[in-house]
């Protein structure tokens, strides 16, 4: 008596298949009825909004008046359509912002489905060894050689001793020569 064994379905396979086919047939009939209703509703709305025209009996003045009315109706409909489009864009942006906030609050990120790649172990090892060797060689090649030069320490002397030596034009010339870089 094992409690973790496979459970048998309550409905046998033939009965399940029969129910699926009946459900699909009913869904197809409902879909056809729905499309017919939508077509009938569209025809009804078009008949209400756009009455049939009889232009043969109209005079030139009446035709011009009819054109003006139609242009006015077109303008009104275009304004409504533009307003609806703006509302839809605004709502979509708001929905995206709220979805992003929810996503940030959850703190979970969707991991993409990765494709399985069949590679032999030798190829993987070869790729790993090759990439590590290239990286190490590249790093060593790109390093600059640094030579440490010992800083020349200037002797700290008392400035009063050199006052006489630096006085006059000779002293200023010595200062200028000492400050200029060696060429």
């Amino acid at each position: 008596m094992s409690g973790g064994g496979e459970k048998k379905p309550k409905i046998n396979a033939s009965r399940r298949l029969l129910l699926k086919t009946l459900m699909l047939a009913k869904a197809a009939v409902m879909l056809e009825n729905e499309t017919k209703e939508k077509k009938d509703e569209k025809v009804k709305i078009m008949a209400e909004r756009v009455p049939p025209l009889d232009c043969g009996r109209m005079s030139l003045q009446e035709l011009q008046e009819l054109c003006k009315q139609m242009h006015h109706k077109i303008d009104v409909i275009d304004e409504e359509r533009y307003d609806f489009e703006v509302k839809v864009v605004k709502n979509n942006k708001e929905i995206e912002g709220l979805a992003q906030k929810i996503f940030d609050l959850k703190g979970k990120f969707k991991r993409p489905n990765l494709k399985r790649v069949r590679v032999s172990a030798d190829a993987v090892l070869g790729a790993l060894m090759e990439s590590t060797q290239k990286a190490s060689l590249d790093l060593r090649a790109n390093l600059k050689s640094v030579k440490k030069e010992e800083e020349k320490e200037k002797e700290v002397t008392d400035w009063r001793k050199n006052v006489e030596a630096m006085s006059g034009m000779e002293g200023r010339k010595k200062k200028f020569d000492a400050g200029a870089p060696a060429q």
Side-chain angles (χ1 to χ4, degrees), residues 3-178:
E6 292 183 26
K7 294 182 181 181
K8 292 184 179 180
K10 294 181 181 179
I11 302 174
N12 61 14
S14 61
R15 177 78 175 150
R16 192 176 325 134
L17 181 62
L18 176 67
L19 289 174
K20 281 184 181 179
T21 54
L22 289 174
M23 286 174 51
L24 288 174
K26 181 69 175 173
V29 169
M30 289 173 67
L31 185 63
E32 287 178 21
N33 289 340
E34 187 177 332
T35 54
K36 284 180 184 177
E37 287 175 6
K38 283 184 179 180
K39 285 181 182 178
D40 292 341
E41 186 178 344
K42 185 176 180 181
V43 169
K44 179 182 171 187
I45 290 173
M46 290 301 291
E48 287 176 6
R49 290 187 181 176
V50 183
L53 293 177
D54 186 20
C55 299
R57 299 180 194 164
M58 293 184 169
S59 66
L60 184 63
Q61 280 290 17
E62 291 173 342
L63 286 175
Q64 288 176 347
E65 186 64 32
L66 179 65
C67 287
K68 287 179 183 178
Q69 289 174 358
M70 292 178 98
H71 281 289
H72 178 69
K73 286 181 181 180
I74 289 171
D75 290 340
V76 170
I77 290 172
D78 281 342
E79 289 174 4
E80 289 177 4
R81 183 177 51 87
Y82 177 76
D83 291 341
F84 285 131
E85 286 178 1
V86 169
K87 286 180 183 178
V88 167
V89 168
K90 182 180 175 185
N91 288 339
N92 284 342
K93 286 182 181 179
E94 186 177 344
I95 289 170
E96 288 175 11
L98 293 173
Q100 184 64 35
K101 283 182 182 178
I102 290 170
F103 186 71
D104 291 341
L105 289 174
K106 283 184 179 179
K108 295 181 181 178
F109 297 99
K110 247 186 183 178
R111 281 202 260 160
N113 294 333
L114 301 176
K115 294 181 180 178
R116 291 188 177 257
V117 179
R118 292 187 181 185
V119 180
S120 67
D122 294 334
V124 171
L125 286 175
L128 286 174
M129 294 300 290
E130 188 174 300
S131 64
T132 56
Q133 288 174 354
K134 284 182 182 176
S136 63
L137 291 176
D138 288 341
L139 288 175
R140 289 180 187 146
N142 291 334
L143 290 177
K144 294 181 179 178
S145 59
V146 178
K147 296 180 182 177
K148 293 184 179 180
E149 295 181 19
E150 294 179 14
E151 295 181 13
K152 297 179 181 177
E153 295 180 13
K154 293 185 178 180
E155 295 179 17
V156 179
T157 58
D158 190 13
W159 61 274
R160 287 173 274 189
K161 291 181 182 177
N162 294 332
V163 170
E164 289 180 15
M166 294 293 180
S167 64
M169 288 301 286
E170 290 296 320
R172 289 192 180 130
K173 186 177 177 188
K174 287 179 186 174
K175 266 190 180 179
F176 181 74
D177 290 340

